[in-house]
Amino acid sequence: MRKLTYVFYVLAAAGALLGLWYSSVSTLDHTRHLDRQEHGMNCSLAPGFGEVSLLAGGQEGCKTALLSPYSSFWRDRHWGGVPYSLLAMGLFAFALALSVWGLAGGKGHRLAPATFLLLSGLAAATASAVFFSISVSKLHTICTTCAGTYLSSAILLIAAALAFLTGRSDRKNEAEPEAGGTTLLSLGVLAVEMGIATFLPVLVYLSTVPDYTKYVDPCGAGAGASAGTCVCEKLASSEGAGVVTGGAAGGPEAIMVIDPLCPQCEALHRRLGESVLGKTLSYKYFLLPLDAECLDWLLKDSMHPGSCLLSKSLICAGGQAEEMLSWMYDNLEELRKDGIGKQFDAMRQKVVAKFPGVKECIDLPDTKKKIWDSMQRFGIPNKIRIETPQLFVNGKRMCVEDTDLGLEFALARLLGK
Amino acid sequence: MKTAWIVNGVVMVAMVLGLWLGTKGMVGAAVHRLDHPDEAGVARAAAPVLTQAEQAYCTEGLKTVLRNVLTKCGLIGGGRKGCQPKELRNAAQIDDREFNALFAPLAKRGGVILFDPTKSELDAGSKAMIDKLWADQRGASWFFVVARASPDGKTEENEKYSHERANSVLFHLEDRFKDPDIEKKVGLLWLGEEFAQLGTDFCDWDRSRPDVACHRESEFAGMPKREAAKALAQQNKDMNRSAVISWIDCRL
């Protein structure tokens, strides 16, 4: 094996090591959330394995990617799904082991290792290209740690391709060329090793994660005292909840407790819109504006000033309510700024400019009364918590811990699927 | 060649072990935390819930009276609405002054609907006031309508007017708001001339007819006694051809 091939193998090993590092950090970020608690992310091009505080900036891209349906598969079967980064870990680990083997034995130029190193690079780069295009087109953000994986894949692919090309002349000039049968055997062994390496982390993962059913359905038969912090909460009746409705007509009923200016509500609304099962639900929105204008007997200060005004607008929107809610969430930052700055006239003008039909209705006394009526008929009898968002499916409250990464799994369990 | 495969075996076993232990370790740590939730998680389970309003004036004394009125007048537990004067005396178990004092803290929350003599029809101002106050429910569960009649005329007729005035408010609410639960919310009391007549304390309340003057007793001090007595008597008549309406912000 020539020096140049050695150099490319070292480069490939570096790319594989980097890829293994980034994919392990991504996996750790995912698995850390398996305790159903809030955690920071290691969102950096130089990530560590420690937990970064949620208050540290720059984590949004990785959080968005993690919570999106594109970070894992089988989400309806396993809480949080199986992270794709496990496959990446296995693939990069295999490429690293192959590089180390090629370097240590000096046989990296042989057809089998060179081919599988190239295959590893191609697989990693193809997956990176797919995930990068999803980031750009669907998530509209780039996860920095993922970018590190993309970069590693590129290094691995380039180094593996160059090693393959230089190895070809090495093979031609070899004094004792490898026999055809040996090459075939080598190819077969490496194919098995590559398969084992790539899928082993997934198999270990699946054998280690517990059944989360008892955690996500504390009202269910299997739930016991050890089923975490979430307690069973059932609705006595959904009557009075749906002043505003939406979703799939005729689908299973879901009641979503929302505040139009709550960022977590926007995030859950978006995730439900992306969720396979979430799209099948018929929604009743229970408006709980955490604004003293609407909740003066319970709140001294408004958590989301202006959300009472927006809730009234939603009531006035009638058949356009869901469209209006999506518009509010799309413009959440701007509307929140208006609210915090007490610029309620500006907020009202924005709503009316987009939905002129609600202009006269917003300030009618009946409009606010409908919010209070809904609280009296649904919120108070059902002892609804003063927090948003909340989701009730089949009359059972979804644990707040399951409203992000575990959403699809929890929906499937609460729907009895 | 053999050596190369031995090296391959060692490297691959190391890789497999690394992947196995690494994955197991990451998941295992989270699963351990899952079964040992931290204190923050426990605290989150005890969030406050939506409740009805409970204002400072909701003393045990007031609640007992309201509960008695609501129970005996048919609101709690369903069935018949409204209380007649004789029943109210038993239900409230308090005297006129104490009964009126219960409503004093509602001066800024409620209003006084005024009627013409021997009439029970609502005028435009009354309807507007009812609509405005009804819409301002907030966290209250009970809407009280306490109708009255002035002491001029026959007692039986006055009781009839009082009853009709209470019903006028209820019928307007039913027509205007089409609320299916209205009977569970509205407590009707119709008092005749013999119980809990409104005094000048109620001049602080908003009236459906702001042009009808209402003076505190002290304001009559500068007037000749006879004239003052006459004016006060007229004012009492005007103010008692009425219905006091208000949401009650108490959990009963």
Side-chain angles (χ1 to χ4, degrees):
Chain A
M1 195 163 94
R2 280 189 298 161
K3 248 187 185 170
L4 196 58
T5 314
Y6 267 105
V7 170
F8 292 139
Y9 256 83
V10 169
L11 197 60
L17 186 61
L18 264 180
L20 180 59
W21 178 268
Y22 285 120
S23 55
S24 298
V25 169
S26 291
T27 304
L28 185 58
D29 277 342
H30 181 103
T31 56
R32 197 176 271 135
H33 287 80
L34 291 178
D35 63 2
R36 298 164 78 231
Q37 302 295 322
E38 278 285 344
H39 291 284
M41 308 280 294
N42 280 296
C43 203
S44 160
L45 276 176
F49 284 111
E51 188 173 339
V52 178
S53 163
L54 273 172
L55 300 173
Q59 298 187 49
E60 296 78 16
C62 294
K63 198 88 185 177
T64 305
L66 173 74
L67 298 182
S68 78
Y70 309 106
S71 69
S72 58
F73 56 95
W74 291 346
R75 284 191 169 208
D76 57 334
R77 290 155 69 175
H78 302 281
W79 195 96
V82 181
Y84 286 109
S85 56
L86 281 170
L87 294 168
M89 265 174 66
L91 187 65
F92 283 118
F94 172 73
L96 177 64
L98 198 58
S99 307
V100 169
W101 178 49
L103 288 166
K107 306 287 184 192
H109 64 288
R110 291 269 165 92
L111 186 63
T115 303
F116 272 90
L117 193 63
L118 183 60
L119 275 177
S120 306
L122 275 170
T126 306
S128 291
V130 169
F131 282 106
F132 177 73
S133 68
I134 288 172
S135 289
V136 173
S137 63
K138 307 267 187 193
L139 307 182
H140 309 294
T141 182
I142 298 286
C143 141
T144 320
T145 315
C146 310
T149 314
Y150 308 153
L151 187 69
S152 312
S153 304
I155 294 170
L156 176 61
L157 176 64
I158 292 166
L162 292 171
F164 186 85
L165 291 173
T166 55
R168 201 164 56 173
S169 60
D170 288 355
R171 286 194 294 277
K172 276 182 191 166
N173 300 330
E174 212 169 19
E176 291 176 36
E178 196 176 33
T182 310
T183 302
L184 268 180
L185 183 66
S186 302
L187 285 168
V189 170
L190 289 183
V192 171
E193 287 176 351
M194 187 178 178
I196 290 173
T198 307
F199 294 105
L200 179 73
V202 171
L203 295 173
V204 174
Y205 182 92
L206 290 176
S207 69
T208 313
V209 286
D211 181 3
Y212 277 72
T213 305
K214 68 172 181 176
Y215 301 101
V216 302
D217 186 5
C219 303
S226 64
T229 57
C230 185
V231 291
C232 174
E233 287 176 47
K234 284 183 178 176
L235 296 176
S237 160
S238 66
E239 196 189 339
V243 185
V244 174
T245 56
E253 183 181 272
I255 294 164
M256 197 172 167
V257 180
I258 57 160
D259 174 320
L261 284 180
C262 136
Q264 292 86 354
C265 300
E266 181 274 328
L268 179 58
H269 185 258
R270 181 170 31 78
R271 284 197 291 276
L272 284 166
E274 293 166 347
S275 151
V276 175
L277 291 172
K279 284 177 194 159
T280 66
L281 300 174
S282 165
Y283 292 98
K284 284 183 173 179
Y285 295 102
F286 174 65
L287 298 170
L288 182 60
L290 301 179
D291 179 350
E293 193 204 331
C294 271
L295 216 56
D296 67 333
W297 72 98
L298 291 171
L299 297 179
K300 281 185 183 168
D301 300 305
S302 297
M303 195 177 287
H304 299 135
S307 64
C308 186
L309 171 68
L310 296 184
S311 297
K312 289 190 287 182
S313 309
L314 282 168
I315 283 174
C316 293
Q320 280 188 299
E322 198 159 45
E323 186 192 336
M324 182 187 273
L325 184 62
S326 297
W327 173 82
M328 285 170 182
Y329 285 150
D330 287 345
N331 295 278
L332 189 66
E333 279 313 305
E334 206 180 328
L335 293 169
R336 276 171 65 85
K337 272 184 200 163
D338 287 342
I340 291 164
K342 312 272 185 216
Q343 303 293 314
F344 301 127
D345 286 339
M347 187 185 270
R348 182 193 309 265
Q349 278 167 17
K350 281 171 193 158
V351 174
V352 171
K354 181 74 182 167
F355 300 92
V358 303
K359 187 180 177 185
E360 305 300 327
C361 164
I362 294 177
D363 293 319
L364 289 178
D366 303 23
T367 307
K368 205 198 268 186
K369 175 91 170 39
K370 283 180 183 159
I371 298 175
W372 289 325
D373 271 339
S374 179
M375 289 181 189
Q376 292 285 344
R377 292 174 66 204
F378 173 78
I380 293 171
N382 284 299
K383 295 187 172 64
I384 296 297
R385 296 174 185 221
I386 308 174
E387 63 182 32
T388 55
Q390 297 178 66
L391 185 65
F392 291 86
V393 178
N394 261 348
K396 294 178 193 172
R397 182 177 186 271
M398 181 181 283
C399 304
V400 68
E401 296 90 335
D402 303 318
T403 54
D404 44 33
L405 203 52
L407 180 65
E408 201 73 26
F409 180 83
L411 278 177
R413 293 303 168 279
L414 294 179
L415 287 169
K417 295 196 175 180
Chain B
M1 192 62 204
K2 202 176 170 185
T3 315
W5 283 113
I6 290 171
V7 173
N8 175 281
V10 170
V11 171
M12 291 300 164
V13 165
M15 175 202 67
V16 163
L17 272 176
L19 286 175
W20 186 293
L21 294 175
T23 308
K24 193 120 186 140
M26 285 191 269
V27 178
V31 170
H32 176 78
R33 291 195 304 274
L34 181 67
D35 287 322
H36 301 84
D38 59 14
E39 286 181 1
V42 174
R44 192 164 48 199
V49 298
L50 270 178
T51 54
Q52 285 141 347
E54 175 83 343
Q55 295 298 334
Y57 62 76
C58 300
T59 59
E60 266 315 302
L62 172 63
K63 284 186 184 184
T64 305
V65 170
L66 291 175
R67 217 175 277 127
N68 278 343
V69 170
L70 291 170
T71 312
K72 293 178 180 170
C73 299
L75 253 181
I76 296 176
R80 178 174 58 95
K81 302 182 301 291
C83 240
Q84 293 174 39
K86 285 165 200 157
E87 292 173 310
L88 179 74
R89 249 183 228 286
N90 297 330
Q93 293 176 338
I94 51 174
D95 67 23
D96 301 25
R97 187 172 288 274
E98 286 171 326
F99 179 81
N100 281 345
L102 292 176
F103 291 87
L106 302 170
K108 299 293 169 206
R109 184 86 162 101
V112 182
I113 305 294
L114 297 178
F115 294 86
D116 288 330
T118 70
K119 301 282 183 201
S120 56
E121 286 81 25
L122 298 168
D123 60 19
S126 300
K127 288 177 182 173
M129 178 176 254
I130 295 168
D131 292 355
K132 179 170 165 265
L133 292 178
W134 175 257
D136 193 28
Q137 178 177 4
R138 292 182 250 173
S141 304
W142 314 104
F143 190 79
F144 267 75
V145 180
V146 186
R148 288 179 171 81
S150 57
D152 48 342
K154 291 181 182 170
T155 304
E156 298 77 33
E157 284 180 1
N158 285 334
E159 192 176 312
K160 188 189 84 172
Y161 294 138
S162 178
H163 190 178
E164 286 173 358
R165 285 165 186 161
N167 279 338
S168 291
V169 176
L170 177 66
F171 296 156
H172 173 73
L173 288 172
E174 285 175 341
D175 283 351
R176 171 76 176 78
F177 293 99
K178 316 284 183 208
D179 183 341
D181 293 331
I182 207 154
E183 294 193 358
K184 295 179 196 162
K185 295 175 184 172
V186 180
L188 292 187
L189 306 177
W190 56 90
L191 312 180
E193 61 184 58
E194 72 277 27
F195 186 71
Q197 288 273 294
L198 293 182
T200 56
D201 297 351
F202 282 77
C203 290
D204 296 341
W205 287 56
D206 281 343
R207 297 181 294 281
S208 61
R209 296 173 180 175
D211 53 313
V212 172
C214 188
H215 301 287
R216 308 280 298 197
E217 272 188 62
S218 56
E219 294 174 54
F220 291 104
M223 292 170 71
K225 270 190 180 173
R226 201 167 165 174
E227 202 178 316
K230 196 177 168 190
L232 182 59
Q234 184 57 46
Q235 176 176 301
N236 283 342
K237 285 180 186 174
D238 292 341
M239 284 295 285
N240 281 286
R241 288 192 290 264
S242 66
V244 168
I245 59 171
S246 180
W247 284 103
I248 308 276
D249 298 294
C250 297
R251 287 176 215 151
L252 300 177

